[in-house]
Amino acid sequence: MTDTKAAAEIRQLMTDREHAMRTGDADLLASHYAPEAVQFDLEPPLLHPAGELRDPSRMRNWFAKFGGRVDYDISELVVTASEDVAFCRSLERMGSAEAGFEMWFRSTVGLRRDGERWLIVDEHRSTPFYMDGSFRAATDLKP
């Protein structure tokens, strides 16, 4: 059974992250990660190790490639939470008119409670690929 208070707190954290992406708030994004957090993201390398995610300069540099912010939406968010451990999954849309792209991808986030707040310990984002021999990322899919 999902703890409804915990689920509501996590939904707020995800809303805060959505807003931070739209406004380019690298400090807020970095503050959501636990010191031991790891990330399997869309961009290389295969694994972003613990420590790197809590450095807001990494996200500032990334945002700079897109004019300081990106369009970002989280949809179909499902949260499963206990008192101190949770995970959520969603479909997310990211785009930039300035950079001329839009794509949907899958996201799974694992969290743990640290005192009064939730921190991300594991984040996995992926996009499917076409298995037609081209192995091209399927960035044109939409829900």
Side-chain angles (χ1 to χ4, degrees):
M1 174 183 270
T2 293
D3 180 316
T4 55
K5 180 179 183 287
E9 292 168 350
I10 291 165
R11 285 184 178 284
Q12 184 59 57
L13 179 140
M14 297 303 286
T15 297
D16 292 347
R17 291 178 58 75
E18 188 176 42
H19 179 73
M21 291 290 284
R22 291 178 185 162
T23 61
D25 189 341
D27 292 307
L28 180 60
L29 289 168
S31 75
H32 288 157
Y33 291 101
E36 72 276 15
V38 295
Q39 181 185 65
F40 304 91
D41 208 356
L42 298 172
E43 69 176 337
L46 290 173
L47 169 67
H48 294 273
E52 179 181 309
L53 303 173
R54 293 173 51 99
D55 178 3
S57 66
R58 173 181 170 260
M59 282 304 295
R60 278 191 208 99
N61 292 336
W62 184 82
F63 280 130
K65 297 174 187 176
F66 304 107
R69 54 171 294 286
V70 294
D71 297 326
Y72 201 82
D73 295 297
I74 297 173
S75 67
E76 301 183 39
L77 178 64
V78 175
V79 177
T80 303
S82 68
E83 251 181 59
D84 57 356
V85 176
F87 72 90
C88 54
R89 68 177 184 263
S90 60
L91 294 177
E92 300 183 8
R93 183 191 69 82
M94 180 171 47
S96 168
E98 187 171 298
F101 82 95
E102 177 186 73
M103 66 180 288
W104 284 88
F105 55 93
R106 306 168 289 205
S107 178
T108 303
V109 178
L111 306 102
R112 70 167 170 77
R113 185 181 291 282
D114 182 32
E116 292 299 312
R117 62 185 294 213
W118 288 93
L119 294 174
I120 297 170
V121 294
D122 188 287
E123 185 172 36
H124 186 123
R125 295 178 175 144
S126 66
T127 182
F129 66 93
Y130 290 106
M131 301 184 100
D132 58 2
S134 71
F135 301 107
R136 185 174 54 91
T139 59
D140 58 337
L141 297 178
K142 295 181 181 180

